[in-house]
Amino acid sequence: MTGKKDLDKSTLYEAVKSLVETPSQHIHLNQQKLFTLFSVAFQYILFRSTKHPGHYIIRIEDSMLAEKLARKAKDETTRKFMNRLLVPRRLAYGNSTFHLDYFPLATWGVTKDLPKEKIQGAIIVKNTSHNPLIDESDFRHVTEDDQAIQLFGKNYYLSTLMDICPRTITIAFDEAFEGLDTIQFDFIEEKSERMVDGVMISEDVQFED
């Protein structure tokens, strides 16, 4: 069923086309529309898989975020594919195979053994919606893997793929990563407000330190 706020086909096509045409090997999508950006990135990877068969890794911060993407991605094809990928976490598409894992090393059981020369692309999705009002009840920190940080560094979930993958797309708002080229889409309007616990607050409101 098509969502009321899905991207229209022409907008999605043009966004995917811009990713196809970029020479950048490692891309950062840093705008605020997480579900929109995921649809664009996923449709690009899906297209790439038809031209460069092999293994494609979808690495999402945690299973809760993966389920949200499966429900709220801004095109029906991406939602259907993600829903089918959630449970087996491995799904064949044409001559390629898509794999789903999360940031902790313990979830990399399948992807860590993939032949490196056959890995053709990856999407990395980080939830960066920091909310100062719910820090005490925010359990996203449990996805942090101390062992992985010690072995590979702070952004291990990305750097371990950059070393072996010819094309990565990282979706993370208000973050900075070395070695990535940022691409922004004109159809996504930048917001001047900040969201705090579901309440839109204008930028002219002053917060006390």
Side-chain angles (χ1 to χ4, degrees):
M1 180 174 168
T2 303
K4 292 181 179 179
K5 295 184 179 180
D6 279 3
L7 283 169
D8 65 78
K9 291 183 179 180
S10 61
T11 300
L12 182 57
Y13 172 83
E14 290 299 327
V16 171
K17 184 171 179 283
S18 69
L19 294 181
V20 172
E21 293 176 346
T22 182
S24 302
Q25 183 178 1
H26 302 296
I27 298 168
H28 182 195
L29 306 182
N30 68 343
Q31 291 170 287
Q32 293 169 304
K33 297 290 187 178
L34 173 64
F35 304 119
T36 296
L37 293 175
F38 184 73
S39 274
V40 173
F42 192 83
Q43 287 299 320
Y44 164 74
I45 288 291
L46 209 59
F47 171 78
R48 180 179 171 83
S49 73
T50 65
K51 305 298 182 183
H52 303 277
H55 294 289
Y56 288 82
I57 297 172
I58 313 298
R59 182 168 291 170
I60 299 172
E61 184 165 350
D62 53 42
S63 59
M64 292 176 60
L65 181 57
E67 290 171 3
K68 284 185 179 180
L69 292 168
R71 294 197 315 271
K72 298 184 178 183
K74 294 302 180 179
D75 75 285
E76 187 174 8
T77 300
T78 298
R79 290 193 296 269
K80 286 183 176 180
F81 198 107
M82 282 300 298
N83 272 294
R84 292 179 62 191
L85 184 61
L86 283 175
V87 176
R89 290 178 40 201
R90 180 169 61 186
L91 189 62
Y93 177 76
N95 294 321
S96 295
T97 304
F98 284 72
H99 305 268
L100 173 65
D101 63 25
Y102 308 114
F103 284 12
L105 280 175
T107 69
W108 300 5
V110 174
T111 57
K112 69 180 178 61
D113 295 325
L114 294 175
K116 292 180 175 58
E117 69 277 7
K118 293 186 178 181
I119 297 175
Q120 294 294 334
I123 300 175
I124 302 92
V125 189
K126 182 174 173 59
N127 187 350
T128 52
S129 57
H130 304 300
N131 189 324
L133 295 187
I134 60 171
D135 280 349
E136 293 301 321
S137 59
D138 184 355
F139 296 103
R140 279 183 288 124
H141 65 278
V142 301
T143 63
E144 294 181 358
D145 191 320
D146 292 336
Q147 180 187 8
I149 292 174
Q150 291 176 3
L151 288 172
F152 305 114
K154 179 181 177 182
N155 298 321
Y156 63 91
Y157 49 84
L158 168 61
S159 61
T160 52
L161 289 174
M162 290 176 66
D163 292 340
I164 60 174
C165 193
R167 179 62 62 94
T168 67
I169 301 178
T170 300
I171 302 173
F173 173 63
D174 200 24
E175 291 269 336
F177 302 95
E178 292 186 5
L180 273 62
D181 294 322
T182 300
I183 291 178
Q184 295 191 330
F185 302 107
D186 292 339
F187 70 89
I188 297 179
E189 296 182 4
E190 295 300 316
K191 294 181 179 179
S192 59
E193 299 88 2
R194 289 192 288 142
M195 289 294 294
V196 178
D197 199 22
V199 179
M200 191 73 75
I201 298 180
S202 177
E203 65 178 357
D204 61 358
V205 175
Q206 299 298 312
F207 289 88
E208 294 181 359
D209 293 329

